Amino acid sequence: MSTSMPYTAGITVTPANIDELRELGTAGCLVWDEGASWVLAVNGDKALAPSRMIITGRSGLKHLTEALEEDGRPATDAELARDLTDIANDQLTDWPGIRAMNLQVQGLREALIGPRIYLDAAPTFETPAGGLPRMTDYYRRTHTGITACVTVTFGYLEATRITVCAPGEVPRPVAEVTVSAAGTFKAHKVHRLIAAAVDGALDLDL
C-alpha cells in the first residue's frame, strides 16, 4: 500500500460479505465502516452514514461478475471478494475527500433514499485542476432501472448536475438537469430543492 494513503491497515472483503450482499436484494450496498473498521452489507438507507465508505452496490457486483467471466476467470465469491478488496483499498486514496462530501450530502441522501429510490453504486470523487472538489452519487429508481447521476461541488458553489440514464447493458444518458442554489437557501432547503429535481428526473417516461 502506498505510504501516501491515510490508513496503514487495509480493507478485506470476504466471500461471506458477498453472500450477505446478495441476500439484501437490489438496494443492498457493501460498505466499509471507518469507526468499526470492518466491512458489512447493509440496506441502502444504512449506507448513507458519513462514516461509511460504499465499496459497491448490487449492480456493481453484477458488472464485476460479468467482467470476470469475460476474462475467463471463475466468478466465485472468493474471486469477487479478492477483486473488491483491491477496489476498496484503491478507494481509500479518495476517502478523506469523500468523507467530507458525505457530510455535505447527508441531508440530500436522507431526502431521497426510501422505498422507491436507493444508492446504486459507490460515489466518484474528483478535484479538477483549478476547480472545486466534486462528488457524484448514483441513485436508482426501484423497478424501472432508471439512474440519476447527481454531481455536487463543495458547498454547492457550482450548479448541481443531474444526468438521467436509461437502463441497459451500458447506461445511456438521455437527459440532464442543473440546479443552481449557491448562497440562496439554507442547506436543508437546498437539499429539498435538489431532491425534488432528482425525484422528478427519475420519473421521466423513458
Side-chain angles (χ1 to χ4, degrees):
M1 182 181 295
S2 168
T3 55
S4 65
M5 284 188 178
Y7 301 96
T8 54
I11 299 172
T12 301
V13 177
T14 68
N17 295 141
I18 305 298
D19 189 50
E20 290 164 2
L21 178 59
R22 287 201 187 94
E23 289 182 0
L24 284 176
T26 304
C29 284
L30 194 66
V31 302
W32 172 71
D33 189 284
E34 181 181 33
S37 253
W38 64 42
V39 174
L40 65 160
V42 296
N43 285 317
D45 60 341
K46 300 296 190 298
L48 51 77
S51 65
R52 289 183 170 176
M53 185 181 81
I54 300 172
I55 299 170
T56 190
R58 276 295 300 275
S59 65
L61 188 64
K62 175 186 174 185
H63 296 326
L64 182 57
T65 299
E66 292 170 350
L68 286 172
E69 291 171 347
E70 288 174 2
D71 288 344
R73 295 166 59 192
T76 63
D77 286 358
E79 285 295 313
L80 290 166
R82 187 174 296 112
D83 279 13
L84 285 171
T85 292
D86 291 341
I87 289 169
N89 284 285
D90 287 344
Q91 288 174 344
L92 278 179
T93 302
D94 287 333
W95 173 236
I98 292 173
R99 179 177 52 195
M101 294 297 286
N102 278 353
L103 292 169
Q104 175 178 311
V105 301
Q106 176 77 3
L108 174 60
R109 288 173 169 176
E110 290 174 349
L112 279 167
I113 295 173
R116 298 174 63 221
I117 300 174
Y118 59 93
L119 283 172
D120 188 50
T124 53
F125 175 81
E126 57 184 326
T127 305
L132 292 165
R134 61 191 182 200
M135 186 173 78
T136 302
D137 266 336
Y138 302 89
Y139 296 93
R140 182 168 287 195
R141 174 74 77 195
T142 305
H143 304 309
T144 69
I146 296 173
T147 302
C149 310
V150 182
T151 302
V152 303
T153 58
F154 181 77
Y156 300 108
L157 295 177
E158 294 178 0
T160 295
R161 187 174 71 251
I162 303 164
T163 304
V164 183
C165 294
E169 288 299 318
V170 178
R172 176 172 53 90
V174 294
E176 187 167 288
V177 178
T178 58
V179 179
S180 298
T184 307
F185 304 111
K186 292 183 178 179
H188 71 282
K189 293 185 177 180
V190 172
H191 294 154
R192 284 166 53 192
L193 181 64
I194 297 172
V198 173
D199 193 47
L202 286 170
D203 274 338
L204 289 174
D205 184 6
L206 303 180

